């Protein structure tokens, strides 16, 4: 469990982003297990991102931690509720431009 002091200016709560990128690890066993650019990462928290013109994988999520009067917060991280598109990760995509014409009348 990770603990830290929450500054007073965050009286309502905190938006926290949690992410794991294997290439940022200093552990050789982590890098070996998850391979270069997170190729072996799997599961509902895995997302693609681009860095140095390479598509990579990371495990990430965002949570909002509401604060109570004791200035502490606890939140269970639940599995994301989203469906991965069929073409997720495909670097080829079709752009369908849309044009909307709005008439403006000046009097």
């Amino acid at each position: 469990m990770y603990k830290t002091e929450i500054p007073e200016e965050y009286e309502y709560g905190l938006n926290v982003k949690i992410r794991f990128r294997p290439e940022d690890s200093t552990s050789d066993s982590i890098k070996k297990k998850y391979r270069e650019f997170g190729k072996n990462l799997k599961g509902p928290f895995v997302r693609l991102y681009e860095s140095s013109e390479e598509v990579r994988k990371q495990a990430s999520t965002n949570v909002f931690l509401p604060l109570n009067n004791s200035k502490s917060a606890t939140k269970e991280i639940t599995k994301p509720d989203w469906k991965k598109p069929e073409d997720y990760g495909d670097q080829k995509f079709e752009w369908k431009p849309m044009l909307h014409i709005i008439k403006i009348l000046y009097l």
Side-chain angles (χ1 to χ4, degrees):
M1 179 182 289
Y2 176 78
K3 290 186 178 187
T4 187
E5 294 292 320
I6 299 170
E8 287 184 24
E9 61 265 21
Y10 297 99
E11 60 186 279
Y12 300 107
L14 299 169
N15 282 311
V16 179
K17 180 172 184 161
I18 303 166
R19 79 172 185 210
F20 169 67
R21 292 180 173 172
E23 67 268 17
D24 293 343
S25 177
T26 58
S27 168
D28 290 335
S29 63
I30 293 289
K31 290 179 180 183
K32 184 177 179 181
K33 180 173 183 168
Y34 295 108
R35 310 267 321 234
E36 185 179 28
F37 308 137
K39 288 180 184 176
N40 288 348
L41 279 175
K42 295 178 184 168
F45 293 97
V46 175
R47 305 284 185 270
L48 300 178
Y49 75 100
E50 187 177 340
S51 179
S52 302
E53 299 184 19
E54 294 280 344
V55 176
R56 303 169 184 219
K57 288 183 180 180
Q58 69 179 6
S60 67
T61 191
N62 296 310
V63 294
F64 178 74
L65 300 173
L67 300 179
N68 59 30
N69 292 335
S70 68
K71 297 288 184 186
S72 67
T74 302
K75 178 86 173 198
E76 180 180 347
I77 299 173
T78 58
K79 182 173 135 179
D81 184 25
W82 73 297
K83 293 183 181 177
K84 188 169 23 174
E86 289 179 22
D87 61 352
Y88 185 71
D90 187 354
Q91 295 179 2
K92 298 175 188 172
F93 63 92
E94 183 178 328
W95 184 271
K96 296 179 183 178
M98 296 176 62
L99 176 64
H100 295 280
I101 299 174
I102 300 173
K103 292 183 182 180
I104 301 175
L105 300 175
Y106 295 98
L107 299 175

